[in-house]
Amino acid sequence: MRICFVTSGNLSEFRGEQADVLIFPFHALGEVSYERELKGETNLFEDVAILSKTGRNIVVCGCYTNARNLRRKSVVVAERGRILGVSDMVNRIDGSEYRSGAGIKLFDTSVGKLGIVVAEDLYFPHVLETLSLCGADVALCVLEELNEGLELNLTRAGAFFFGIPVCLCAYGYAQVADPAGRLRFSSPKSPCFYELTREQEYHIVETRKRGFFLKRKTEY
């Protein structure tokens, strides 16, 4: 899976690169009003779909969605001209202006199952854990900007804890961590590329737990 990280510039300025997946952070698309999109006054989601159709690939793009004045941090995913869906950030911190969404999403695509981590959801381990348990081949984290490098450590830790590669795309920076917690790739360039190989390694983990006694039924 060849991934292209576009860490600067707008979606409309992008001229196309050969890759299976294109990832854009939030500044690339800006704010999307669902009402204006439905009325045909804007065509931002259509632009994402067209880009994926032109490149015959998958486009993952961060944006700020507005539904009846409820603003959310979101990521839209399109494949070969079709919008697969929009994933919203599910955790709202300290009454932020951005509201929480409905659920964590996994997209089944031609290159594998793509798990989406939206912005500050990276700070909540259960998001990556859920994507891993649901069979994600890779987690794609779309950010605004880095917070003193905190996210760089979280991607490596999350990849190690939950056994899936984690790709991070933020303004001015991209990074990939493998399931061993190693930093496989990082770059401030835009665009930059990484060839991701699918890694699905499983181990039997046994633990001892106190209590948790269940009586066996001897008769039915």
Side-chain angles (χ1 to χ4, degrees), residues 55-124:
R56 298 182 61 82
N57 54 18
I58 298 162
V59 176
V60 178
C61 187
C63 60
Y64 305 97
T65 54
N66 189 326
R68 296 182 179 273
N69 292 323
L70 295 178
R71 301 181 72 225
R72 294 182 174 91
K73 292 182 181 180
S74 308
V75 172
V76 57
V77 180
E79 180 175 18
R80 297 191 176 190
R82 183 168 64 95
I83 298 292
L84 299 183
V86 178
S87 182
D88 298 325
M89 185 174 69
V90 297
N91 296 283
R92 185 186 186 195
I93 302 174
D94 292 336
S96 166
E97 64 175 303
Y98 298 102
R99 309 300 288 268
S100 58
I104 302 167
K105 291 188 178 180
L106 180 71
F107 296 93
D108 198 352
T109 72
S110 58
V111 297
K113 294 181 179 179
L114 308 181
I116 303 299
V117 181
V118 186
E120 286 86 354
D121 278 348
L122 182 63
Y123 303 154
F124 298 85

Side-chain angles (χ1 to χ4, degrees), residues 11 14 19-20 22 24 45-60 77-84:
L11 187 78
F14 187 69
D20 298 311
L22 301 176
F24 297 82
F45 281 172
E46 182 181 352
D47 291 342
V48 175
I50 291 173
L51 180 60
S52 70
K53 182 178 182 179
T54 302
R56 298 182 61 82
N57 54 18
I58 298 162
V59 176
V60 178
V77 180
E79 180 175 18
R80 297 191 176 190
R82 183 168 64 95
I83 298 292
L84 299 183

Side-chain angles (χ1 to χ4, degrees), residues 156 158-166 177-182 199-201:
R156 296 178 62 185
F160 175 77
F161 287 143
F162 306 116
I164 56 174
V166 179
D178 70 9
R182 295 172 297 200
E199 300 181 47
Q200 293 184 333
E201 186 174 348

Side-chain angles (χ1 to χ4, degrees), residues 207-212:
T207 60
R208 296 179 63 186
K209 183 176 179 63
R210 190 171 184 175
F212 205 71

Side-chain angles (χ1 to χ4, degrees), residues 6 8-13 23-30 44 61-63:
V6 187
S8 65
N10 296 324
L11 187 78
S12 59
E13 299 171 349
I23 309 179
F24 297 82
F26 286 86
H27 67 273
L29 200 60
L44 297 175
C61 187
C63 60

